[in-house]
Amino acid sequence: MFLSSVVISDVIFILSLFTNIKVQVAGNFFVLWLLAYVLFVLEVSLTLTMEKGESNIRNLALVPVMYFTYCQLWMLVALKSIFLYIKDTILKKKLNGIKLKGFKKRYKDMKQLIWVYK
């Protein structure tokens, strides 16, 4: 549901840039968008402060920009994965996960993996 609402929002935004489209919806949606943006910035900033070594000025300054760059690109990845899932389901292909190269070499067992993330 989140992905579809963001995609619809982006489509309306792009259409409003190039056409004379007007959305007639009761309410002050600018305030809702602003609150959602502030919530995103605060949420990610809080997460950064909880991670050891990630709470620095550079990372905290990038958080407001992330909403317009990284999060928008994430949508493309999510849409591609949905498309591939539907295609594989229709063609009855076996779904396989993507494995990272070198993962087994670096972490021989789960104890070592858990230790790295502590």
Side-chain angles (χ1 to χ4, degrees), residues 64-107:
V65 179
M66 276 179 54
Y67 183 82
F68 299 103
T69 56
Y70 172 78
C71 294
Q72 299 301 316
L73 293 174
W74 171 85
M75 258 189 329
L76 298 175
V77 173
L79 289 172
K80 181 181 178 186
S81 66
I82 291 170
F83 171 75
L84 291 175
Y85 175 78
I86 292 171
K87 182 179 131 186
D88 289 346
T89 303
I90 290 172
L91 297 176
K92 297 183 180 179
K93 289 186 177 179
K94 182 181 176 187
L95 301 174
N96 292 323
I98 298 171
K99 296 188 179 188
L100 300 174
K101 293 179 181 177
F103 188 77
K104 288 184 181 179
K105 293 178 194 173
R106 191 178 304 155
Y107 307 108

